[in-house]
Amino acid sequence: MNIIEKVLESGISFQKKERHVVEKLVSLMFTKKIAKKEILLREGEICKEIFYVQKGLLRVYIINEGKEVNTWFVKEGEFITSISSYHKQKPSEHYIDALEDGEIISIKKTTLDFIMKNNHKAALFANHELFDKLCDYQEQASTLRFMSAENRYSYLFEKQAAIFSRLSQKHLASFLGVDTTYLSKIISKEKK
């Protein structure tokens, strides 16, 4: 979804008649085409941007004992950043990279801070989006913590149906905390 349409359709702050204001704010952002496997943020870097996915699929992951562990997937129409690094301006524990070729819109922290200080409607929208994502992440963390791998698979299939078919078994297995062989067994059971 186009970022301008997302802001206007959210009904949180801006009305459709204020499209020109939203367009002006969006003009302060940067659009960039990204290639599959392109890294937008590395562990140890300080995150100075928020990304909006216009097209494509991104993942957030950490390195644990030498292995990539996926913690979040972001598709078209969604925002992503390393929240702790972005907010506290400290080194990130996460990586963010592209699982598909795509297009992102980014906004620098300094620019967003300026906009939010000077436009309460933009601040309301940003606040809503932040809390919406935090709610999703909290639900995911709480729910997945006590589930078996099979139930985590079913949960992800139900909650993330739009991206499920776009994930490789390797990335899906990493997210579920299982190896690809065990994931194949889970998938076989689900198909029966």
Side-chain angles (χ1 to χ4, degrees):
M1 172 183 278
N2 175 301
I3 192 169
I4 294 170
E5 299 307 321
K6 180 174 182 74
V7 172
L8 293 174
E9 290 178 11
S10 73
I12 302 303
S13 51
F14 293 97
Q15 304 299 315
K16 293 198 185 290
K17 65 183 178 183
E18 298 172 297
R19 182 180 191 93
H20 66 285
V21 176
V22 176
E23 288 172 347
K24 187 74 165 169
L25 294 173
V26 169
S27 74
L28 301 172
M29 301 175 189
F30 300 94
T31 301
K32 177 184 176 189
K33 293 202 180 292
I34 55 173
K36 182 177 181 176
K37 297 185 180 181
E38 185 172 336
I39 297 175
L40 302 174
L41 179 69
R42 295 178 191 279
E43 176 185 31
E45 293 178 347
I46 295 175
C47 186
K48 297 179 180 178
E49 300 171 277
I50 291 179
F51 306 103
Y52 177 80
V53 182
Q54 281 283 111
K55 180 183 174 201
L57 182 64
L58 304 180
R59 71 176 172 136
V60 180
Y61 65 98
I62 60 172
I63 304 291
N64 184 29
E65 297 179 3
K67 293 183 180 179
E68 294 178 3
V69 179
N70 293 314
T71 59
W72 199 257
F73 300 104
V74 184
K75 66 183 183 322
E76 295 87 357
E78 296 180 342
F79 292 94
I80 190 63
T81 193
S82 175
I83 293 173
S84 183
S85 177
Y86 177 86
H87 181 66
K88 296 179 180 178
Q89 289 296 278
K90 66 177 196 172
S92 177
E93 297 175 356
H94 301 93
Y95 289 82
I96 300 175
D97 78 3
L99 292 175
E100 300 173 347
D101 291 342
E103 183 178 285
I104 58 167
I105 296 174
S106 65
I107 184 166
K108 293 187 181 301
K109 182 177 186 349
T110 53
T111 304
L112 184 58
D113 288 347
F114 176 81
I115 290 170
M116 291 187 351
K117 284 178 186 172
N118 293 289
N119 187 305
H120 76 282
K121 289 185 177 188
L124 285 172
F125 177 78
N127 189 50
H128 171 75
E129 287 297 313
L130 172 65
F131 275 102
D132 196 44
K133 282 293 154 214
L134 287 173
C135 288
D136 289 348
Y137 197 72
Q138 183 179 20
E139 176 190 345
Q140 174 186 298
S142 297
T143 304
L144 296 179
R145 175 179 230 154
F146 303 107
M147 289 182 169
S148 67
E150 292 83 358
N151 289 339
R152 288 193 306 269
Y153 177 87
S154 296
Y155 174 84
L156 182 63
F157 185 78
E158 179 184 317
K159 289 289 190 179
Q160 297 285 344
I163 65 165
F164 204 79
S165 63
R166 295 162 68 180
L167 295 173
S168 69
Q169 280 200 2
K170 172 186 159 189
H171 292 303
L172 183 55
S174 168
F175 180 80
L176 297 174
V178 298
D179 63 33
T180 53
T181 305
Y182 189 67
L183 176 60
S184 293
K185 290 177 184 177
I186 293 171
I187 293 170
S188 294
K189 282 183 192 176
E190 289 289 322
K191 288 182 179 178
K192 289 181 183 178

